[in-house]
Amino acid sequence: MAGGAEEELERRSRFLKGLIQKKKAIEQQEQHDHLQHINVRVRACDMPLPLQNSAFRCARDLLDTMPPKNLDSKRLALALKKEFDSSYGPAWHCIVGTSFGSYVTHSVGGFLYFSIDKVYILLFKTAVEPLDHS
């Protein structure tokens, strides 16, 4: 009897695992389709998907308000920084442009380098430590 129960549990476990894998595959395809729609390309990333999506939406919304040939990279960088500081805590930094180099240190889970159309965006978080006034 115990062997039959263990087999049934194993069968159910495999079934549930299969359902979870199918759901993840569907979510990944939907994410891919959505990114293609707004011309997003992730170049490098160490950031959870919900935060990535927030950055993509925020950047796309702001870019849509700007004239096509007149990128205000400073305004876009400031808006992304403010959005992430208020939503996910302080010490976010943002660099926006069509050509730049960088080398930064970031907090774990707080780095995203992506492009929308021909605009490149680097968004990253650093640790904030209080000054020691000894």
Side-chain angles (χ1 to χ4, degrees):
M1 180 92 175
E6 287 177 12
E7 287 174 13
E8 180 63 17
L9 283 174
E10 182 63 30
R11 186 189 67 76
R12 289 181 183 192
S13 177
R14 283 193 307 270
F15 176 75
L16 289 174
K17 187 176 182 180
L19 286 178
I20 291 168
Q21 288 173 338
K22 285 179 188 175
K23 184 176 186 315
K24 284 183 179 178
I26 290 168
E27 287 173 351
Q28 287 176 341
Q29 185 60 47
E30 288 172 349
Q31 173 69 17
H32 177 73
D33 293 346
H34 176 70
L35 295 182
Q36 294 295 74
H37 173 68
I38 62 171
N39 294 325
V40 170
R41 282 192 61 195
V42 175
R43 307 298 174 147
C45 179
D46 172 22
M47 181 179 283
L49 200 54
L51 272 72
Q52 291 178 50
N53 288 331
S54 177
F56 303 151
R57 269 192 307 277
C58 185
R60 178 81 268 167
D61 290 349
L62 287 159
L63 285 168
D64 286 345
T65 67
M66 296 178 188
K69 300 276 184 192
N70 196 9
L71 171 67
D72 187 347
S73 54
K74 200 172 185 179
R75 189 176 116 207
L76 179 55
L78 177 63
L80 275 165
K81 180 204 173 5
K82 281 186 170 185
E83 173 68 24
F84 271 67
D85 278 346
S86 65
S87 297
Y88 307 108
W92 285 91
H93 310 276
C94 188
I95 300 168
V96 175
T98 54
S99 176
F100 61 86
S102 67
Y103 195 85
V104 301
T105 300
H106 65 89
S107 298
V108 173
F111 179 86
L112 178 62
Y113 178 47
F114 67 104
S115 63
I116 297 183
D117 302 327
K118 295 187 188 306
V119 178
Y120 291 80
I121 300 166
L122 174 59
L123 180 65
F124 63 99
K125 183 179 177 96
T126 57
V128 179
E129 297 179 19
L131 291 175
D132 185 13
H133 295 294
S134 327

